[in-house]
Amino acid sequence: KAGVTQTPRYLIKTRGQQVTLSCSPISGHRSVSWYQQTPGQGLQFLFEYFSETQRNKGNFPGRFSGRQFSNSRSEMNVSTLELGDSALYLCASSLAAQTNEKLFFGSGTQLSVL
Amino acid sequence: GNSVTQMEGPVTLSEEAFLTINCTYTATGYPSLFWYVQYPGEGLQLLLKATKADDKGSNKGFEATYRKETTSFHLEKGSVQVSDSAVYFCALSVSSGGYNKLIFGAGTRLAVHP
């Protein structure tokens, strides 16, 4: 069974640009969560989607948005990029809406904002 | 609020040494507790979990016991190997708006030398 796939693996953007990251969950998984990982802040929860609906949202500004498609694939968009948005963005999938069952993580997209 | 505090790294050990990584938490209610591991260049993987007080999670020689009285979930291994070098994240699962979400600690980097 294929794991969680995130594309692209690396991305370099400049301030003010926007970016879209993609995540394909494990086949059959309907929940997709997004996390931002930085050396200073650790892992911060962005949002979770289940059956194309946002179920949970972390404390990030409106520049961060996401969506989920009918095939459970998810995209995350960041508009008007700032230097502080440089981070590893991780996507995780699970069978149901994020529960006490395990999350399966992708390898992440490393975003650098110059 | 809900939070997880881990000991700061890096933790540097020689092969076959005993490992302890401290984790304490603050949470309302009765959370489930997890340890995730991140190997270089990869996403996070669930290492072990415990869902109620006094439960012991174990996997690959690692153990952690859910201590409600001290709000702790310390990770231990009796004899580490070079292949255990990774970043370890303690996490708890809390209910938010009727759904659960994971809150992670900052992570502790472990480096094991031959």
CSV table of all heavy atoms in Angstrom, one decimal, chain A residues 34-61:
chain,number,residue,atom,x,y,z
A,34,TRP,N,-2.8,18.8,8.3
A,34,TRP,CA,-1.6,19.5,7.9
A,34,TRP,C,-1.0,20.1,9.2
A,34,TRP,O,-1.6,20.6,10.1
A,34,TRP,CB,-2.0,20.7,7.0
A,34,TRP,CG,-2.4,20.2,5.6
A,34,TRP,CD1,-3.6,20.0,5.1
A,34,TRP,CD2,-1.5,20.0,4.5
A,34,TRP,NE1,-3.6,19.6,3.8
A,34,TRP,CE2,-2.3,19.6,3.4
A,34,TRP,CE3,-0.1,20.2,4.3
A,34,TRP,CZ2,-1.8,19.4,2.1
A,34,TRP,CZ3,0.4,19.9,3.0
A,34,TRP,CH2,-0.4,19.5,2.0
A,35,TYR,N,0.4,20.0,9.2
A,35,TYR,CA,1.2,20.6,10.3
A,35,TYR,C,2.3,21.4,9.7
A,35,TYR,O,2.9,21.1,8.6
A,35,TYR,CB,1.8,19.5,11.1
A,35,TYR,CG,0.8,18.7,12.0
A,35,TYR,CD1,0.0,17.7,11.5
A,35,TYR,CD2,0.6,19.1,13.3
A,35,TYR,CE1,-0.9,17.0,12.2
A,35,TYR,CE2,-0.4,18.4,14.1
A,35,TYR,CZ,-1.1,17.4,13.5
A,35,TYR,OH,-2.0,16.7,14.3
A,36,GLN,N,2.7,22.4,10.4
A,36,GLN,CA,3.9,23.2,10.1
A,36,GLN,C,5.0,22.9,11.1
A,36,GLN,O,4.7,22.9,12.3
A,36,GLN,CB,3.6,24.7,10.2
A,36,GLN,CG,4.8,25.6,9.8
A,36,GLN,CD,4.6,27.0,10.3
A,36,GLN,OE1,4.5,27.3,11.4
A,36,GLN,NE2,4.5,27.9,9.3
A,37,GLN,N,6.2,22.5,10.6
A,37,GLN,CA,7.3,22.1,11.5
A,37,GLN,C,8.4,23.1,11.3
A,37,GLN,O,9.0,23.3,10.2
A,37,GLN,CB,7.8,20.7,11.3
A,37,GLN,CG,8.8,20.3,12.2
A,37,GLN,CD,9.3,18.8,12.0
A,37,GLN,OE1,9.0,18.2,11.0
A,37,GLN,NE2,10.1,18.3,12.9
A,38,THR,N,8.8,23.8,12.4
A,38,THR,CA,10.0,24.7,12.4
A,38,THR,C,10.8,24.4,13.6
A,38,THR,O,10.4,23.9,14.6
A,38,THR,CB,9.5,26.2,12.5
A,38,THR,OG1,8.8,26.3,13.7
A,38,THR,CG2,8.7,26.6,11.3
A,39,PRO,N,12.1,24.7,13.5
A,39,PRO,CA,13.0,24.4,14.6
A,39,PRO,C,12.6,25.1,15.9
A,39,PRO,O,12.7,24.6,17.0
A,39,PRO,CB,14.4,24.9,14.1
A,39,PRO,CG,14.3,24.9,12.7
A,39,PRO,CD,12.9,25.2,12.3
A,40,GLY,N,12.1,26.3,15.8
A,40,GLY,CA,11.7,27.1,17.0
A,40,GLY,C,10.4,26.7,17.6
A,40,GLY,O,10.2,26.7,18.8
A,41,GLN,N,9.4,26.4,16.8
A,41,GLN,CA,8.0,26.2,17.2
A,41,GLN,C,7.6,24.7,17.3
A,41,GLN,O,6.6,24.4,17.8
A,41,GLN,CB,7.1,26.9,16.4
A,41,GLN,CG,7.3,28.4,16.4
A,41,GLN,CD,7.0,29.0,17.7
A,41,GLN,OE1,6.0,28.7,18.4
A,41,GLN,NE2,7.8,30.0,18.1
A,42,GLY,N,8.5,23.8,16.7
A,42,GLY,CA,8.1,22.4,16.7
A,42,GLY,C,7.0,22.2,15.7
A,42,GLY,O,6.9,22.9,14.7
A,43,LEU,N,6.1,21.3,16.0
A,43,LEU,CA,5.0,20.9,15.1
A,43,LEU,C,3.7,21.7,15.5
A,43,LEU,O,3.2,21.6,16.6
A,43,LEU,CB,4.7,19.4,15.2
A,43,LEU,CG,5.4,18.5,14.3
A,43,LEU,CD1,5.4,17.1,14.9
A,43,LEU,CD2,4.9,18.5,12.9
A,44,GLN,N,3.2,22.5,14.6
A,44,GLN,CA,2.0,23.3,14.9
A,44,GLN,C,0.9,22.8,14.0
A,44,GLN,O,1.1,22.7,12.7
A,44,GLN,CB,2.3,24.8,14.6
A,44,GLN,CG,3.4,25.3,15.5
A,44,GLN,CD,3.0,25.5,16.9
A,44,GLN,OE1,2.0,26.0,17.2
A,44,GLN,NE2,3.9,25.1,17.8
A,45,PHE,N,-0.3,22.5,14.5
A,45,PHE,CA,-1.4,22.0,13.8
A,45,PHE,C,-2.0,23.2,12.9
A,45,PHE,O,-2.3,24.2,13.5
A,45,PHE,CB,-2.5,21.5,14.8
A,45,PHE,CG,-3.8,21.1,14.1
A,45,PHE,CD1,-3.9,19.9,13.4
A,45,PHE,CD2,-4.9,21.9,14.3
A,45,PHE,CE1,-5.1,19.5,12.9
A,45,PHE,CE2,-6.1,21.5,13.8
A,45,PHE,CZ,-6.2,20.3,13.1
A,46,LEU,N,-2.2,22.9,11.7
A,46,LEU,CA,-2.8,23.9,10.8
A,46,LEU,C,-4.3,23.7,10.6
A,46,LEU,O,-5.1,24.5,11.0
A,46,LEU,CB,-2.1,23.8,9.4
A,46,LEU,CG,-0.8,24.6,9.3
A,46,LEU,CD1,0.0,24.0,8.2
A,46,LEU,CD2,-1.0,26.0,9.1
A,47,PHE,N,-4.7,22.5,10.1
A,47,PHE,CA,-6.1,22.2,9.9
A,47,PHE,C,-6.2,20.7,9.5
A,47,PHE,O,-5.3,20.1,9.2
A,47,PHE,CB,-6.8,23.1,8.9
A,47,PHE,CG,-6.0,23.6,7.8
A,47,PHE,CD1,-5.4,22.8,6.9
A,47,PHE,CD2,-5.8,25.0,7.6
A,47,PHE,CE1,-4.6,23.3,5.8
A,47,PHE,CE2,-5.0,25.5,6.6
A,47,PHE,CZ,-4.4,24.7,5.7
A,48,GLU,N,-7.5,20.3,9.6
A,48,GLU,CA,-7.8,18.9,9.3
A,48,GLU,C,-9.1,18.9,8.4
A,48,GLU,O,-10.0,19.6,8.6
A,48,GLU,CB,-8.1,18.0,10.5
A,48,GLU,CG,-8.4,16.6,10.1
A,48,GLU,CD,-9.3,15.9,11.2
A,48,GLU,OE1,-9.7,16.5,12.2
A,48,GLU,OE2,-9.6,14.7,10.9
A,49,TYR,N,-9.0,18.1,7.4
A,49,TYR,CA,-10.1,17.9,6.5
A,49,TYR,C,-10.6,16.5,6.5
A,49,TYR,O,-9.8,15.5,6.6
A,49,TYR,CB,-9.8,18.3,5.0
A,49,TYR,CG,-9.6,19.7,4.9
A,49,TYR,CD1,-8.4,20.4,5.1
A,49,TYR,CD2,-10.7,20.5,4.5
A,49,TYR,CE1,-8.3,21.7,5.0
A,49,TYR,CE2,-10.6,21.9,4.3
A,49,TYR,CZ,-9.4,22.5,4.6
A,49,TYR,OH,-9.3,23.9,4.5
A,50,PHE,N,-11.9,16.3,6.5
A,50,PHE,CA,-12.6,15.0,6.4
A,50,PHE,C,-13.7,15.1,5.5
A,50,PHE,O,-14.6,15.9,5.7
A,50,PHE,CB,-13.0,14.6,7.8
A,50,PHE,CG,-13.6,13.2,7.9
A,50,PHE,CD1,-12.9,12.1,7.8
A,50,PHE,CD2,-15.0,13.1,8.0
A,50,PHE,CE1,-13.5,10.8,7.9
A,50,PHE,CE2,-15.6,11.9,8.1
A,50,PHE,CZ,-14.9,10.7,8.0
A,51,SER,N,-13.8,14.2,4.5
A,51,SER,CA,-14.8,14.2,3.5
A,51,SER,C,-15.1,15.6,3.0
A,51,SER,O,-16.3,16.0,2.9
A,51,SER,CB,-16.1,13.6,4.1
A,51,SER,OG,-16.0,12.2,4.4
A,52,GLU,N,-14.0,16.2,2.6
A,52,GLU,CA,-14.1,17.5,1.9
A,52,GLU,C,-14.5,18.7,2.8
A,52,GLU,O,-14.7,19.8,2.3
A,52,GLU,CB,-15.0,17.5,0.7
A,52,GLU,CG,-14.6,16.4,-0.4
A,52,GLU,CD,-15.6,16.3,-1.5
A,52,GLU,OE1,-15.7,17.3,-2.3
A,52,GLU,OE2,-16.3,15.3,-1.7
A,53,THR,N,-14.6,18.5,4.1
A,53,THR,CA,-15.0,19.5,5.0
A,53,THR,C,-13.9,19.8,6.0
A,53,THR,O,-13.3,18.8,6.6
A,53,THR,CB,-16.3,19.1,5.8
A,53,THR,OG1,-17.3,18.8,4.8
A,53,THR,CG2,-16.7,20.2,6.7
A,54,GLN,N,-13.7,21.0,6.3
A,54,GLN,CA,-12.7,21.4,7.4
A,54,GLN,C,-13.3,21.1,8.7
A,54,GLN,O,-14.3,21.7,9.1
A,54,GLN,CB,-12.2,22.8,7.3
A,54,GLN,CG,-11.1,23.2,8.2
A,54,GLN,CD,-10.7,24.6,8.1
A,54,GLN,OE1,-11.2,25.5,8.8
A,54,GLN,NE2,-9.7,24.9,7.2
A,55,ARG,N,-12.6,20.2,9.5
A,55,ARG,CA,-13.2,19.8,10.8
A,55,ARG,C,-12.5,20.5,12.0
A,55,ARG,O,-13.1,20.7,13.0
A,55,ARG,CB,-13.0,18.3,11.0
A,55,ARG,CG,-13.8,17.4,10.1
A,55,ARG,CD,-15.3,17.6,10.3
A,55,ARG,NE,-16.1,16.5,9.6
A,55,ARG,CZ,-17.4,16.5,9.5
A,55,ARG,NH1,-18.1,17.5,10.1
A,55,ARG,NH2,-18.0,15.5,8.9
A,56,ASN,N,-11.3,20.9,11.8
A,56,ASN,CA,-10.5,21.5,12.9
A,56,ASN,C,-9.6,22.5,12.3
A,56,ASN,O,-9.1,22.3,11.2
A,56,ASN,CB,-9.7,20.4,13.6
A,56,ASN,CG,-10.2,20.1,15.0
A,56,ASN,OD1,-10.5,20.9,15.7
A,56,ASN,ND2,-10.2,18.8,15.3
A,57,LYS,N,-9.3,23.5,13.0
A,57,LYS,CA,-8.4,24.5,12.5
A,57,LYS,C,-7.5,25.0,13.7
A,57,LYS,O,-7.9,25.2,14.8
A,57,LYS,CB,-9.2,25.7,12.0
A,57,LYS,CG,-8.4,26.7,11.2
A,57,LYS,CD,-9.3,27.8,10.7
A,57,LYS,CE,-8.6,28.8,9.7
A,57,LYS,NZ,-7.4,29.3,10.3
A,58,GLY,N,-6.2,25.2,13.4
A,58,GLY,CA,-5.3,25.7,14.4
A,58,GLY,C,-5.3,27.2,14.4
A,58,GLY,O,-6.1,27.9,13.7
A,59,ASN,N,-4.3,27.8,15.1
A,59,ASN,CA,-4.2,29.2,15.2
A,59,ASN,C,-3.3,29.9,14.2
A,59,ASN,O,-2.2,30.4,14.6
A,59,ASN,CB,-3.8,29.6,16.6
A,59,ASN,CG,-4.8,29.1,17.7
A,59,ASN,OD1,-6.0,29.2,17.5
A,59,ASN,ND2,-4.3,28.6,18.8
A,60,PHE,N,-3.6,29.8,13.0
A,60,PHE,CA,-2.9,30.4,11.9
A,60,PHE,C,-3.7,31.5,11.2
A,60,PHE,O,-4.9,31.4,11.2
A,60,PHE,CB,-2.4,29.3,10.9
A,60,PHE,CG,-1.2,28.6,11.3
A,60,PHE,CD1,-1.3,27.5,12.2
A,60,PHE,CD2,0.0,28.9,10.8
A,60,PHE,CE1,-0.2,26.8,12.6
A,60,PHE,CE2,1.2,28.2,11.2
A,60,PHE,CZ,1.1,27.2,12.1
A,61,PRO,N,-3.0,32.5,10.6
A,61,PRO,CA,-3.8,33.6,9.9
A,61,PRO,C,-4.5,33.0,8.7
A,61,PRO,O,-4.2,32.0,8.2
A,61,PRO,CB,-2.7,34.6,9.6
A,61,PRO,CG,-1.4,33.8,9.6
A,61,PRO,CD,-1.6,32.7,10.6
